[in-house]
Amino acid sequence: QVQLVESGGGLVQTGGSLRLSCAASGSSFRINTWGWHRQAPGQQRELVASITNGNSINYLDSVKGRFTISRDNAKNTVSLQMTNLKPEDTAVYYCEADWITPIPEVGRSWGQGTQVTVSS
């Protein structure tokens, strides 16, 4: 199993920036795809950004040009740099990792979630 621990998040004013990070731990695994998702109150969870092992990146249309996802394979971490934040970005943000082990075993793990609040 792979465990994910998130850090970052908090309260920021409109136009501000925040950086979220997520670290994976476990035994003998490789992360294929990382993703950042968010869920606002009363809304469905949505995929904000993803990055594959080959560094193919996708963004939700509403965050293109403002958010940047990056990964560090040596440290098994992923980050989401968020700039020019808007009130509609307010949500709980979750990191997600699709992983594989040498057995092979495949799975998906989720972080605990971190609150991002953008005040107007």
Side-chain angles (χ1 to χ4, degrees), residues 3 6 9-10 23 29 39 44 49 62 65 73 76 89-90 95 109-110:
Q3 295 80 41
E6 300 177 26
F29 65 92
Q39 187 167 21
Q44 288 192 329
S62 62
N73 292 332
N76 285 317
D89 295 318
T90 296
C95 67
S109 297
W110 291 87

Side-chain angles (χ1 to χ4, degrees), residues 37-41 87-93 114-118:
H37 303 248
R38 68 186 181 188
Q39 187 167 21
E88 51 265 40
D89 295 318
T90 296
V92 178
Y93 284 70
T114 186
Q115 178 70 46
V116 171
T117 302
V118 184

Side-chain angles (χ1 to χ4, degrees), residues 61-72:
D61 283 347
S62 62
V63 308
K64 286 180 180 177
R66 301 188 297 121
F67 290 11
T68 302
I69 189 171
S70 60
R71 63 189 290 167
D72 186 329

Side-chain angles (χ1 to χ4, degrees), residues 51-99:
I51 181 168
T52 69
N53 203 28
N55 284 323
S56 177
I57 293 173
N58 285 289
Y59 293 105
L60 185 67
D61 283 347
S62 62
V63 308
K64 286 180 180 177
R66 301 188 297 121
F67 290 11
T68 302
I69 189 171
S70 60
R71 63 189 290 167
D72 186 329
N73 292 332
K75 296 181 179 179
N76 285 317
T77 59
V78 66
S79 296
L80 185 69
Q81 179 67 46
M82 305 183 293
T83 63
N84 191 21
L85 283 160
K86 305 175 181 181
E88 51 265 40
D89 295 318
T90 296
V92 178
Y93 284 70
Y94 300 89
C95 67
E96 169 257 320
D98 294 334
W99 48 264

